[in-house]
Amino acid sequence: MLVSAKEMLDKAVAGHYAVGQFNINNLEWTKSILLTAEELKSPVILGVSEGAGKYMTGFKTVAAMVKAMMEELNITVPVALHLDHGTYEGCKKCIDAGFSSIMFDGSKYPIEENVAKTKELIAICREKGMSIEAEVGSIGGEDGVIGKGECADPNECKMIADLGVDMLAAGIGNIHGKYPANWEGLSFETLDAIQKLTGDMPLVLHGGTGIPEDMIKKAISLGVAKINVNTECQLSFADATRKYIEAGKDLEGKGYDPRKLLKPGAEAIQATVKEKMELFGSVGKAE
Ligand code: 13P
């Protein structure tokens, strides 16, 4: 059964670790992440961007696939199915489709409008027992959004946190995708100021790919309880698949069978997810 992300994130704040949000793109991705979470007894959040939802033919398909797969694989760890960077309309669709969590990304609206729309969605989520993430300060790179790693205004973060969201994504110099060579790193000054104003609110670190381990650990010590990883699984999958094909394995016997062709990539995703869960400290925290 899918769960809201609230309880697992509140526990992460109290226990000083972070739960990984790993974005899914298809069946192989979903299976790899669920199997790894179960093996490591770690809670997990499956992230679905609007683009990935469309690719998988719609949010209803995604919710049905994830629920059925959890049952067939006997997944016992807490799993939240979460919309990543949702529009207002996308949030409504995921609520109807049976997701257990949404992110409303109102960062492109003036703060007053972000507040009004977030408030409305919070009320719906409360009623349905779903969790909701809000965003303050743009985090560049996701689905065509360009940004340079902005820092959020801590007072605006407090304003949104006080509305009653369950988790808050705030820009602290993080960017989606690969970090440029001249990236200046995370702004711990900003994170510290946000945490001081928002208290125990689980903070979300987007753009988890390529952030050095020491920065991840410091961010967790300053209240980050959810870390989003997408690109790193894509890179691992692509690399393993390329190696398989370059080695001519698809031409040996029935190596072209998708169950064989996609296997190295799926295993590479599992290895990446395992590495991240160990780094984030969520291993063994399923209970
Ligand atoms: P990366 O693609 O940089 O890992 O970021 C993922 C993310 O933040 C999804 O919201």
Side-chain angles (χ1 to χ4, degrees), residues 23 84-85 142 176-177 206-209 228-231:
N23 285 47
D84 191 25
H85 291 281
E142 184 76 7
H176 295 107
H206 281 246
T209 297
N228 293 6
V229 178
N230 184 15
T231 305

Side-chain angles (χ1 to χ4, degrees), residues 77-106:
V77 296
V79 178
L81 179 60
H82 180 76
L83 172 64
D84 191 25
H85 291 281
T87 57
Y88 179 78
E89 295 73 26
C91 285
K92 291 268 178 84
K93 279 189 189 162
C94 285
I95 292 167
D96 291 342
F99 276 45
S100 64
S101 188
I102 54 167
M103 171 186 189
F104 171 56
D105 182 353

Side-chain angles (χ1 to χ4, degrees), residues 21 23 84-85 103 133 139 142 174-179 204-210 226-234:
Q21 172 192 307
N23 285 47
D84 191 25
H85 291 281
M103 171 186 189
E133 173 179 347
I139 301 159
E142 184 76 7
N174 42 336
I175 315 173
H176 295 107
K178 290 183 185 174
Y179 284 88
V204 184
L205 182 61
H206 281 246
T209 297
K226 171 173 176 275
I227 304 179
N228 293 6
V229 178
N230 184 15
T231 305
E232 206 154 323
C233 289
Q234 298 186 356

